[in-house]
Amino acid sequence: MNRAPLKRSRILHMALMGTSDLSGEAEASQGKPFLLRALQIALVVFLYWVISISMVFLNKYLLDSPSLQLDTPIFVTFYQCLVTTLLCKGLSTLSACCPGAMEFPALRLDLRVARSVLPLSVVFICMITFNNLCLKYVGVAFYNVGRSLTTVFNVLLSYLLLKQTTSFYALLTCGIIIGGFWLGVDQEGAEGTLSWTGTLFGVLASLCVSLNAIYTKKVLPAVDDSIWRLTFYNNINACVLFLPLLLLLGELQALLHFAQLGSAHFWGMMTLGGLFGFAIGYVTGLQIKFTSPLTHNVSGTAKACAQTVLAVLYYEDTKSFLWWTSNMMVLGGSSAYTWVRGWEMKKVQEEPSPKVEEKNSLGV
């Protein structure tokens, strides 16, 4: 009788805490030579870094380039969703035609499934739109700080939805992240580069990332636990829902008056942005598969550090010591939270259950 509530509770817990069952993958990787596994991990991490960093810089160019002067962030996001949808369908067709060449799930539009995925799609749209709007209004160097509150929202939602408390050490790391966020906002303001609009979009994007994790876990059974089917339905729903927004916000009209509308370079960059958007989902899954969710978080934190340094160098910015301190607080707090959560999960796994302890005490 209590099966459904327990299942929902476990789904929310896995989504918010980042837990995953990777025992099968770990056993499979143990059979490979160490050098081969090390090379595979290095290649996957390298791909993740290159694609993720390139995507951020390319999106910044499309959203806020003085040479383009294109003020249509919703259309840019819509087009990237459209490219992802077409890529999913194309790879599905190719897999059906050449079953030995590649593996990709069969994709067929089912309106019933699309309706089941719709709540997640609304959160997904908010997440990618707020991400792009944040990037439009803030610099790439401040982008990671502006979106740094995802961990804090994970802890907050775990309490509000699960009534689950968080350890003192985990809360301490969240305090470091919040402190780094506010110091970063203060320093951006002191340098005259602060955008309150971009910062607000960053906070909303962080909230939506947490909500997206929750709804993804809940909706996966509707698509047979296939991430690619979920990606396909998510992006189809997003394309449909973006259309009225494009009309209401007047972006289609602005696009018609865009000077480079017929430029092959412009559409090439737009398509490349869509390809990166598709590829980041693939390489993220690969990185988790070849390492672990916790290692993926550490890699993402290190990537964010490298991305910040590259942005400062590329745009020839001059940043104060306190500005760098804010970044180190955010990145250090995020890394510490990942380590604390990993340590706590390992401790729970190593502790014997109460029933086992009771049996041992009775000599059974």
Side-chain angles (χ1 to χ4, degrees), residues 341-359:
R341 288 298 306 155
W343 175 73
E344 290 175 349
M345 285 189 290
K346 184 178 180 181
K347 188 178 178 181
V348 168
Q349 290 173 354
E350 290 176 350
E351 287 180 353
S353 64
K355 289 184 178 180
V356 173
E357 290 182 347
E358 184 179 348
K359 287 182 178 180

Side-chain angles (χ1 to χ4, degrees), residues 14-25:
M14 291 173 65
L16 290 166
M17 296 304 160
T19 55
S20 179
D21 183 12
L22 297 174
S23 58
E25 292 169 0

